[in-house]
Amino acid sequence: MSEVLHDPRWRSAWRLLFLAVVAGASWLAFSPHPPRVADLGWDKANHFAAFGTLAFIGMQCFAAGPRRRWIVLAVLLAYGVLIELVQSQIPGRDAEARDVLADMIGASIGVALHALLVRVITPRALQAR
């Protein structure tokens, strides 16, 4: 598991997975009537889950560094705002600022979970560097 998280050779696979999740989330967000099976029962939970997942995967798309989390959060903030702007133009969908807030809470949780997992999974030899 440590290799999947740390080896740069996996970065392309993480980026492909990120694009696939963005495509799936966009399809759900831009569909006038998304399928009920993709609904967690509470709209904000959908946002937490989607953006938490995107943030976790997004963290793997960039090389480690002090700005990585801020880049991921900024990209996801822009994506969340874009979703709401597009939804404002789709019949049957509404744009809500609270959805963007839910997106960012989910993204923050995803970034935090990523940091925790990396800390737990990283061999001590790599942590000492």
Side-chain angles (χ1 to χ4, degrees):
M1 181 65 146
S2 180
E3 180 181 324
V4 173
L5 290 174
H6 295 290
D7 192 333
R9 292 176 293 184
W10 281 90
R11 197 162 292 128
S12 294
W14 283 107
R15 288 176 178 162
L16 186 61
L17 179 60
F18 184 82
L19 292 175
V21 175
V22 166
S26 296
W27 178 74
L28 291 170
F30 302 146
S31 296
H33 305 289
R36 291 189 188 267
V37 296
D39 191 349
L40 297 175
W42 181 42
D43 179 55
K44 301 309 177 244
N46 297 335
H47 289 266
F48 296 152
F51 278 76
T53 301
L54 285 168
F56 186 94
I57 297 168
M59 291 293 288
Q60 287 298 121
C61 292
F62 295 99
R67 295 185 304 171
R68 174 173 63 172
R69 77 177 56 105
W70 301 114
I71 292 169
V72 169
L73 291 172
V75 166
L76 292 178
L77 174 61
Y79 178 57
V81 170
L82 174 69
I83 287 173
E84 296 307 312
L85 291 173
V86 172
Q87 283 184 343
S88 73
Q89 303 301 310
I90 298 172
R93 300 303 293 258
D94 296 314
E96 289 186 45
R98 290 180 300 201
D99 286 347
V100 176
L101 178 61
D103 296 342
M104 295 319 305
I105 291 169
S108 297
I109 291 169
V111 167
L113 287 174
H114 180 269
L116 178 65
L117 182 67
V118 165
R119 186 171 184 89
V120 168
I121 298 292
T122 302
R124 293 198 187 272
L126 284 177
Q127 288 180 4
R129 287 186 191 174

